[in-house]
Structure formats: C-alpha cells, structure tokens
Amino acid sequence: MEFSKSLIQWYLNNKRDLPWRNDTNPYTIWLSEIMLQQTRVAQGLPYFLSFTEAFPTVFDLADADEEQVLKLWQGLGYYSRARNLHKTARYIASELNGKFPLNYEGLLKLNGVGEYTAAAIASFSYNENVPVVDGNVYRVLARYFDVETDIASAGAKKEFTRLAAELIPKGKANVFNQAIMEFGALQCVPKNPDCLNCIFNDSCLALQKNKVAQLPVKSKKLKVTNRYLNYLVFLDNHGNTIIRKRTEKGIWHNLYEFPLVETTADDSVETIISQIGNQDFVENQIDEIQLYNAEPIKHKLSHQHLHIHFWKIRVQGVLNHGIDWESVVKSPFPIVIFNFIEKVWR
C-alpha cells in the first residue's frame, strides 16, 4: 500500500537516533517500552541510560534490591511500572534462564506486559507480524482514514488494531510499527500539526475534510480527586529526622515519605498543629513549628491533584527511630518530596 511505503520512507529519513533502536535485544526494548509508557522520550531517555548502565542485563536488574530500582526510577512517575519491571526481571532470570519469550503470546504472559508492550517487543525484536497500537497510532490512523470511532469506547482497540494489521507490509513489522509511532510523535502531533509540510497532505481525509483538530474522538474524561497532604518534617538536636515507607496500596507504594497528616480540605493552620502532637512516635517536647510553604505545592497525577504543605518541627532531645539526612537522601522518594529535601536540607 502506498501509505505504508511512504510512511516507512519518511521514517528512514526522519527517525530519531535512540539507543534502544540500535539492536534487537528484547531486554533493552522491554526496558524502553516500560519506561516510555505515559512518558515523553526526552524525559525517559536519561533514565534508560542510567538503568542500562546500572543493570546491563536482566540478571543485573533481577539481583538488585527493590529500593535501588525505585531510587533510580525516582522522578519518572507511575512507580508501579518500576515494581513490575523488577518483579518480571526476577521471573525471567530465575524461571526462564534470562531469556525472554520468543513471540507475542508468550510475552503477554509476563507481569506488567500488556498488549501494546508485547506487540512492541515481538515486532521490534523478532519482527513478528503484530501491530503496535498506542496513542500516536490512534491519532495517525483516525486522521488519515477519517475514523470517527471514539478511542475510549469498548470496541475501538480491536478496530484500530485490525486496521493497523492490514497496513503492515509483509516482513516489515519492525520498521512499519516504529514508523507509524514516530510519525505520530514528530509529525502528526496532537495539537497544531504542520499539515502543509506533511507527506500525506494530498491524501489525508481529515485534512481534506478540515477535521484534523477533531480527530481522534475521545469522549471519556478522567475523574480527578483533590487531596490535601501535610508532611511533618521533624528535626531533633542531632539533626535527625523521621521517614516512613508507604506500604499501603495506592500512589507511591514502597516509596518513602515524612509522617503525613492528610485532611479532606485545605484546613487551617490550627487544625494541622493540633494533630502534630498526636503522632504516636512523638515523645519529645516540641520547640518550634514552622510552615515551610504558605502556598501549597500542587502536584498533578493522572487521577489526583495533590496539594502539599511541609511543616518543619524542631523537638528537644533525640527522636526515636530518627535517621540522619545522609541516609535520608539515599532512599527512594516521590519526586515532589525529594525536591523539597534537595532545596531545604542539602
């Protein structure tokens, strides 16, 4: 098909030089695909380089402590990806002798590997004839073929997957899948694409019908919850503080944080102060309570908007279970908390 031929030629002329494209090693391709979920290439690339330096093989990743993995992941977000990555590496190393499954169906059985990631590894590593369908692919196909199916609807994935499969030239799944994803990332971008300088400006149906801005159709909207977090940063006479590991389910599982008071609204200073003394580990006399940031730090996650205050609390004597700051900074934190540590305590 002329569309596929033109797309592949565009890719060969315009593709970015990215390290995971330099070989067909399923380990590095898997690593890159997990990292780039919900993440821009520019943000993910430094993490990919750090991980491949620290863990050049799946055995190295499997042998690492989870906290070491989370610390390297710090700032990349969606931390369940890192935990699944580590869990899967251990499974591959111990149960599969370090060898990835050799086809799409086998890859799909790995923990944390869905249809998209399995298809990416299968086509990029093994050139298996399976389509890769992500947000970029939805956008390119919806615009070029004027597909008005709501991409959030139940049958959309099957419809777009079937269409993409029909376009793959025989024996060229690897290059076609990378081409259509790259085209969506660089040329057919979500907002204000440069359609005048597009290789498909004479055949794209959305352009001909003046519908580029309306496609792809996506009606489903995320429900966003506001949460109000107050972190209690204790400091004793020896300069020690208190941190805890988030073991409960939800955001930031197995990362560290300061003791937390969460409220249902942006409560008054008096309300927060009244709860500080109720912390079960606080046996020391409190000398000073200081609100570090008068305006809350707003940290947006996919389903939650966090409004965060930090409280600096000086106490007399020595804190039970206190930890020095050199040890604190070695622990994995959510990036919003680590940024506070970097600004205030280093």
Side-chain angles (χ1 to χ4, degrees):
M1 183 179 179
E2 190 62 33
F3 170 82
S4 303
K5 182 179 178 181
S6 298
L7 185 67
I8 290 172
Q9 189 58 53
W10 175 91
Y11 173 72
L12 296 176
N13 292 334
N14 296 277
K15 66 178 179 177
R16 290 169 290 185
D17 182 18
L18 301 174
W20 49 84
R21 289 178 176 162
N22 295 332
D23 60 44
T24 57
N25 184 348
Y27 171 66
T28 53
I29 292 172
W30 166 68
L31 194 61
S32 69
E33 291 300 332
I34 298 297
M35 285 186 166
L36 294 178
Q37 292 171 8
Q38 307 292 323
T39 303
R40 294 176 293 106
V41 168
Q43 182 186 7
L45 179 56
Y47 287 88
F48 175 84
L49 296 175
S50 295
F51 261 73
T52 51
E53 181 180 357
F55 315 120
T57 71
V58 70
F59 291 105
D60 297 308
L61 179 55
D63 288 341
D65 293 330
E66 183 183 85
E67 286 195 10
Q68 183 185 2
V69 175
L70 289 173
K71 185 64 179 177
L72 272 181
W73 195 276
Q74 182 175 274
L76 197 54
Y78 299 96
Y79 291 90
S80 61
R81 294 181 295 170
R83 294 190 296 271
N84 285 333
L85 192 81
H86 191 224
K87 182 177 179 181
T88 301
R90 289 187 162 178
Y91 172 77
I92 293 170
S94 62
E95 302 297 325
L96 303 181
N97 296 316
K99 296 181 179 180
F100 280 73
L102 296 176
N103 55 44
Y104 171 78
E105 293 298 333
L107 290 162
L108 204 54
K109 296 176 183 178
L110 296 176
N111 187 60
V113 173
E115 293 177 354
Y116 162 78
T117 305
I121 300 170
S123 62
F124 300 164
S125 292
Y126 312 133
N127 205 24
E128 185 175 349
N129 198 61
V130 287
V132 173
V133 180
D134 69 350
N136 289 316
V137 177
Y138 277 125
R139 188 165 57 256
V140 173
L141 296 180
R143 287 173 175 172
Y144 186 83
F145 293 100
D146 187 23
V147 181
E148 294 187 335
T149 302
D150 186 341
I151 64 174
S153 63
K157 191 166 189 177
K158 285 187 177 180
E159 179 181 351
F160 279 90
T161 299
R162 184 169 57 250
L163 176 56
E166 293 171 356
L167 297 169
I168 299 176
K170 187 175 181 180
K172 294 186 176 181
N174 182 328
V175 67
F176 175 82
N177 282 338
Q178 297 202 60
I180 193 168
M181 292 167 63
E182 190 81 333
F183 190 78
L186 300 183
Q187 176 65 41
C188 195
V189 295
K191 295 182 179 179
N192 303 315
D194 184 8
C195 295
L196 293 179
N197 293 306
C198 177
I199 58 171
F200 297 122
N201 59 18
D202 60 349
S203 54
C204 174
L205 293 180
L207 183 59
Q208 293 175 7
K209 298 178 181 182
N210 197 28
K211 295 170 63 176
V212 171
Q214 285 78 52
L215 294 173
V217 175
K218 185 178 182 181
S219 61
K220 187 178 181 180
K221 294 184 178 180
L222 293 174
K223 182 180 179 181
V224 176
T225 301
N226 284 294
R227 297 177 66 182
Y228 301 87
L229 310 182
N230 294 270
Y231 283 112
L232 311 181
V233 186
F234 288 91
L235 190 67
D236 67 17
N237 291 343
H238 292 264
N240 295 332
T241 190
I242 296 284
I243 59 174
R244 61 178 288 271
K245 194 173 191 177
R246 289 182 63 94
T247 55
E248 62 270 23
K249 296 297 182 181
I251 63 170
W252 301 336
H253 180 66
N254 280 359
L255 297 182
Y256 285 83
E257 65 182 359
F258 297 105
L260 172 66
V261 172
E262 182 169 356
T263 59
T264 55
D266 198 3
D267 282 352
S268 67
V269 172
E270 291 77 13
T271 302
I272 305 302
I273 291 176
S274 69
Q275 297 189 51
I276 291 174
N278 295 331
Q279 302 299 309
D280 55 10
F281 58 82
V282 179
E283 300 176 359
N284 308 62
Q285 177 69 36
I286 294 175
D287 281 342
E288 180 185 7
I289 299 174
Q290 178 185 357
L291 177 60
Y292 170 71
N293 54 310
E295 288 296 318
I297 297 169
K298 296 179 181 179
H299 189 67
K300 294 183 179 181
L301 305 175
S302 56
H303 295 77
Q304 302 178 30
H305 288 177
L306 309 181
H307 307 263
I308 300 172
H309 280 111
F310 290 96
W311 298 79
K312 294 164 66 175
I313 305 164
R314 294 189 175 275
V315 300
Q316 294 180 7
V318 180
L319 285 165
N320 289 332
H321 310 296
I323 181 174
D324 64 86
W325 285 89
E326 287 187 4
S327 300
V328 167
V329 297
K330 294 177 182 177
S331 301
F333 286 90
I335 194 62
V336 67
I337 299 178
F338 189 75
N339 286 342
F340 165 81
I341 294 170
E342 288 278 275
K343 283 183 180 178
V344 178
W345 299 107
R346 295 196 74 177

